[in-house]
Coordinates of all heavy atoms in Angstrom, one line a residue:
P18 N -129.8 41.9 51.5 CA -130.0 41.2 52.8 C -129.3 42.1 53.8 O -128.4 42.8 53.6 CB -129.2 39.9 52.6 CG -129.2 39.6 51.1 CD -129.2 41.0 50.5
K19 N -129.8 41.9 55.1 CA -129.3 42.8 56.2 C -127.8 42.6 56.4 O -127.1 43.6 56.6 CB -130.1 42.4 57.5 CG -129.6 43.3 58.7 CD -130.4 42.9 59.9 CE -130.0 43.8 61.1 NZ -130.8 43.4 62.3
H20 N -127.3 41.4 56.3 CA -125.8 41.2 56.5 C -125.0 41.9 55.5 O -123.9 42.4 55.7 CB -125.5 39.7 56.7 CG -125.5 39.0 55.4 ND1 -126.6 38.5 54.8 CD2 -124.4 38.7 54.6 CE1 -126.3 37.8 53.7 NE2 -125.0 37.9 53.5
E21 N -125.5 41.9 54.2 CA -124.8 42.6 53.1 C -124.8 44.1 53.3 O -123.9 44.7 53.0 CB -125.4 42.1 51.8 CG -125.2 40.7 51.4 CD -125.6 40.3 50.0 OE1 -126.1 41.2 49.4 OE2 -125.4 39.1 49.6
K22 N -126.0 44.6 53.8 CA -126.0 46.0 54.1 C -125.0 46.4 55.2 O -124.3 47.4 55.1 CB -127.4 46.5 54.6 CG -128.4 46.4 53.5 CD -129.8 46.9 54.0 CE -130.9 46.9 53.0 NZ -132.1 47.4 53.5
N23 N -124.8 45.5 56.1 CA -123.8 45.7 57.2 C -122.4 45.7 56.6 O -121.6 46.5 57.0 CB -124.0 44.7 58.3 CG -125.3 44.9 59.1 OD1 -125.8 46.0 59.1 ND2 -125.7 43.8 59.7
I24 N -122.2 44.8 55.7 CA -120.8 44.7 55.1 C -120.5 46.0 54.4 O -119.5 46.6 54.5 CB -120.8 43.5 54.1 CG1 -120.9 42.2 54.8 CG2 -119.5 43.6 53.3 CD1 -121.0 41.0 53.9
A25 N -121.5 46.5 53.6 CA -121.3 47.7 52.8 C -121.1 48.9 53.7 O -120.1 49.6 53.5 CB -122.6 48.0 51.9
S26 N -121.9 49.1 54.7 CA -121.8 50.2 55.6 C -120.5 50.2 56.4 O -119.8 51.2 56.6 CB -123.0 50.3 56.6 OG -123.0 49.2 57.4
S27 N -120.0 49.0 56.8 CA -118.8 48.9 57.6 C -117.6 49.3 56.7 O -116.6 49.8 57.2 CB -118.6 47.5 58.2 OG -118.4 46.6 57.2
F28 N -117.6 48.9 55.5 CA -116.5 49.2 54.6 C -116.5 50.6 54.1 O -115.5 51.2 53.6 CB -116.4 48.2 53.5 CG -115.8 46.9 53.9 CD1 -116.6 45.9 54.3 CD2 -114.4 46.7 54.0 CE1 -116.1 44.7 54.7 CE2 -113.9 45.5 54.4 CZ -114.7 44.5 54.8
L29 N -117.7 51.2 54.0 CA -117.8 52.6 53.5 C -117.3 53.6 54.5 O -116.8 54.6 54.1 CB -119.2 52.9 53.1 CG -119.8 52.2 51.9 CD1 -121.3 52.5 51.7 CD2 -119.0 52.5 50.7
R30 N -117.6 53.3 55.8 CA -117.2 54.3 56.8 C -115.7 54.2 57.2 O -115.3 53.3 57.8 CB -118.1 54.1 58.1 CG -119.5 54.4 57.9 CD -120.3 54.4 59.2 NE -120.1 53.2 60.0 CZ -121.0 52.2 59.9 NH1 -122.0 52.2 59.0 NH2 -120.8 51.1 60.6
Q31 N -115.0 55.2 56.7 CA -113.5 55.3 57.1 C -113.3 56.6 57.8 O -113.7 57.6 57.3 CB -112.7 55.2 55.8 CG -112.9 54.0 55.0 CD -112.5 52.7 55.8 OE1 -111.6 52.8 56.6 NE2 -113.1 51.6 55.4
G32 N -112.7 56.5 59.0 CA -112.5 57.7 59.8 C -111.5 58.7 59.2 O -110.7 58.3 58.3
R33 N -111.6 60.0 59.6 CA -110.7 61.0 59.1 C -109.6 61.4 60.1 O -108.9 62.3 59.9 CB -111.5 62.2 58.7 CG -112.5 62.0 57.5 CD -113.2 63.2 57.1 NE -114.1 63.0 56.0 CZ -113.7 63.0 54.8 NH1 -112.5 63.2 54.4 NH2 -114.6 62.7 53.8
S34 N -109.5 60.6 61.2 CA -108.5 60.8 62.2 C -107.6 59.6 62.2 O -107.8 58.6 61.5 CB -109.1 61.2 63.5 OG -109.7 60.0 64.0
N35 N -106.7 59.6 63.1 CA -105.8 58.4 63.3 C -106.4 57.4 64.2 O -105.7 56.5 64.7 CB -104.4 58.9 63.8 CG -103.6 59.5 62.7 OD1 -103.8 59.3 61.6 ND2 -102.7 60.4 63.1
R36 N -107.7 57.5 64.6 CA -108.3 56.5 65.4 C -109.1 55.5 64.6 O -109.7 55.8 63.6 CB -109.2 57.2 66.4 CG -108.5 58.1 67.4 CD -109.4 58.8 68.4 NE -108.7 59.6 69.3 CZ -109.3 60.2 70.3 NH1 -110.5 60.1 70.5 NH2 -108.5 61.0 71.1
A37 N -109.2 54.3 65.2 CA -110.1 53.3 64.6 C -111.5 53.6 65.0 O -111.8 53.9 66.1 CB -109.7 51.9 65.1
H38 N -112.4 53.4 64.0 CA -113.8 53.8 64.3 C -114.7 52.6 64.3 O -115.9 52.8 64.4 CB -114.3 54.8 63.2 CG -113.6 56.1 63.2 ND1 -114.0 57.1 64.1 CD2 -112.5 56.6 62.5 CE1 -113.2 58.2 63.9 NE2 -112.3 57.9 63.0
T39 N -114.2 51.4 64.3 CA -115.1 50.2 64.4 C -114.6 49.3 65.4 O -113.4 49.4 65.9 CB -115.1 49.5 63.0 OG1 -113.8 49.2 62.6 CG2 -115.7 50.4 61.9
G40 N -115.4 48.4 65.8 CA -115.0 47.3 66.7 C -114.9 47.8 68.1 O -114.3 47.2 69.0
G41 N -115.4 49.0 68.5 CA -115.3 49.5 69.8 C -113.9 50.2 70.1 O -113.7 50.6 71.3
V42 N -113.0 50.2 69.2 CA -111.7 50.7 69.5 C -111.7 52.2 69.1 O -111.8 52.6 68.0 CB -110.6 50.0 68.7 CG1 -109.2 50.6 69.0 CG2 -110.6 48.5 69.0
T43 N -111.6 53.1 70.1 CA -111.6 54.5 69.8 C -110.4 55.3 70.4 O -110.3 56.5 70.4 CB -112.9 55.1 70.5 OG1 -112.8 54.9 71.9 CG2 -114.1 54.5 69.9
D44 N -109.4 54.5 70.9 CA -108.2 55.2 71.5 C -107.0 54.6 70.8 O -106.8 53.4 70.6 CB -108.2 54.9 73.0 CG -107.0 55.6 73.6 OD1 -107.1 56.8 73.8 OD2 -106.0 54.9 73.9
D45 N -106.1 55.5 70.4 CA -104.8 55.1 69.7 C -104.0 54.1 70.6 O -103.4 53.2 70.1 CB -104.0 56.3 69.3 CG -104.6 57.0 68.1 OD1 -105.4 56.3 67.4 OD2 -104.2 58.2 67.9
T46 N -103.9 54.4 71.9 CA -103.1 53.6 72.8 C -103.7 52.2 72.9 O -103.0 51.2 72.8 CB -103.1 54.3 74.2 OG1 -102.6 55.6 74.1 CG2 -102.3 53.4 75.1
E47 N -105.0 52.1 73.0 CA -105.7 50.8 73.0 C -105.5 50.1 71.7 O -105.2 48.8 71.7 CB -107.2 51.0 73.3 CG -108.0 49.7 73.4 CD -107.6 48.8 74.5 OE1 -106.9 49.3 75.4 OE2 -108.0 47.6 74.5
L48 N -105.6 50.8 70.6 CA -105.4 50.2 69.3 C -103.9 49.6 69.2 O -103.7 48.5 68.8 CB -105.6 51.2 68.2 CG -105.3 50.7 66.8 CD1 -106.2 49.5 66.4 CD2 -105.5 51.8 65.8
G49 N -103.0 50.4 69.6 CA -101.6 50.0 69.6 C -101.3 48.8 70.4 O -100.6 47.8 70.0
R50 N -102.0 48.7 71.6 CA -101.8 47.6 72.5 C -102.4 46.3 71.9 O -101.8 45.3 71.9 CB -102.6 47.9 73.8 CG -102.3 46.8 74.9 CD -103.2 47.1 76.1 NE -104.6 47.0 75.8 CZ -105.3 45.8 75.6 NH1 -104.7 44.7 75.7 NH2 -106.6 45.8 75.3
K51 N -103.5 46.4 71.2 CA -104.1 45.3 70.6 C -103.3 44.8 69.4 O -103.1 43.6 69.2 CB -105.5 45.6 70.0 CG -106.6 45.8 71.2 CD -107.9 46.1 70.6 CE -109.0 46.1 71.6 NZ -109.3 44.8 72.2
I52 N -102.7 45.7 68.6 CA -101.8 45.3 67.5 C -100.6 44.6 68.0 O -100.2 43.6 67.5 CB -101.5 46.5 66.6 CG1 -102.7 47.2 66.0 CG2 -100.5 46.1 65.5 CD1 -102.5 48.5 65.4
L53 N -99.9 45.2 69.0 CA -98.7 44.6 69.5 C -99.0 43.2 70.1 O -98.1 42.4 70.1 CB -98.1 45.6 70.6 CG -97.4 46.8 70.1 CD1 -97.1 47.8 71.2 CD2 -96.2 46.5 69.3
A54 N -100.2 43.0 70.6 CA -100.5 41.7 71.2 C -100.5 40.6 70.2 O -100.4 39.4 70.5 CB -101.9 41.8 71.9
T55 N -100.6 41.0 68.9 CA -100.6 40.0 67.8 C -99.2 39.7 67.3 O -99.1 38.8 66.4 CB -101.5 40.4 66.7 OG1 -100.9 41.6 66.0 CG2 -102.9 40.8 67.1
H56 N -98.2 40.4 67.8 CA -96.8 40.3 67.2 C -96.0 39.4 68.1 O -95.8 39.6 69.3 CB -96.2 41.7 67.1 CG -94.9 41.7 66.4 ND1 -94.7 41.4 65.1 CD2 -93.7 42.0 66.9 CE1 -93.4 41.5 64.8 NE2 -92.8 41.9 65.9
E57 N -95.4 38.3 67.5 CA -94.6 37.4 68.2 C -93.2 37.2 67.7 O -92.3 36.5 68.3 CB -95.3 36.0 68.3 CG -96.6 36.1 69.1 CD -97.2 34.7 69.3 OE1 -96.5 33.7 68.8 OE2 -98.3 34.6 69.8
S58 N -92.9 37.7 66.5 CA -91.6 37.4 65.9 C -91.2 38.6 64.9 O -92.0 39.3 64.4 CB -91.6 36.1 65.1 OG -90.4 35.9 64.4
N59 N -89.9 38.7 64.7 CA -89.4 39.7 63.7 C -88.7 39.0 62.5 O -87.9 39.6 61.8 CB -88.4 40.6 64.4 CG -89.1 41.6 65.3 OD1 -90.1 42.2 65.0 ND2 -88.6 41.8 66.5
E60 N -89.0 37.7 62.3 CA -88.4 37.0 61.2 C -89.1 37.3 59.9 O -90.3 37.4 59.9 CB -88.4 35.5 61.5 CG -87.6 35.1 62.7 CD -86.1 35.4 62.6 OE1 -85.6 35.3 61.5 OE2 -85.5 35.8 63.6
R61 N -88.3 37.4 58.8 CA -88.9 37.5 57.5 C -89.4 36.2 56.9 O -90.5 36.1 56.4 CB -87.9 38.2 56.6 CG -87.9 39.7 56.7 CD -87.1 40.4 55.7 NE -87.2 41.8 55.7 CZ -86.6 42.7 54.9 NH1 -85.8 42.2 53.9 NH2 -86.8 44.0 55.0
G62 N -88.5 35.2 56.9 CA -88.9 33.9 56.5 C -88.7 33.7 55.0 O -88.6 32.6 54.5
F63 N -88.5 34.8 54.2 CA -88.2 34.6 52.8 C -87.7 36.0 52.3 O -87.8 37.0 52.9 CB -89.5 34.2 52.0 CG -90.6 35.2 52.2 CD1 -90.8 36.2 51.3 CD2 -91.6 35.1 53.2 CE1 -91.9 37.1 51.4 CE2 -92.6 35.9 53.4 CZ -92.8 37.0 52.5
Y64 N -87.2 36.0 51.0 CA -86.7 37.2 50.4 C -87.9 38.0 49.9 O -88.7 37.6 49.1 CB -85.8 36.8 49.2 CG -84.5 36.1 49.7 CD1 -84.3 34.8 49.3 CD2 -83.5 36.8 50.4 CE1 -83.1 34.1 49.7 CE2 -82.3 36.1 50.8 CZ -82.2 34.8 50.4 OH -81.0 34.2 50.8
V65 N -87.9 39.2 50.4 CA -89.1 40.1 50.1 C -88.9 40.9 48.8 O -89.9 41.2 48.2 CB -89.3 41.1 51.3 CG1 -89.7 40.3 52.5 CG2 -88.2 42.0 51.5

């Protein structure tokens, strides 16, 4: 099925640089900004 082909192709393509190659993110600075936007705490919460 088309959606399964999309799944396969999206997971097969891994970039050879430090940039993200999917989801429209092509800049390290932009990627870092998006990741930091998801971070709200530095607590562990349990013994690791």
Side-chain angles (χ1 to χ4, degrees):
K19 182 177 181 181
H20 75 276
E21 292 186 358
K22 290 183 181 180
N23 291 336
I24 295 173
S26 60
S27 70
F28 281 95
L29 289 178
R30 292 193 303 271
Q31 302 297 333
R33 297 184 179 274
S34 68
N35 285 335
R36 296 182 177 182
H38 291 279
T39 57
V42 179
T43 59
D44 183 78
D45 283 340
T46 303
E47 177 67 13
L48 174 61
R50 186 187 64 77
K51 287 181 175 293
I52 298 171
L53 287 172
T55 66
H56 184 66
E57 294 185 5
S58 174
N59 286 316
E60 297 297 324
R61 279 190 169 179
F63 59 92
Y64 294 111
V65 298

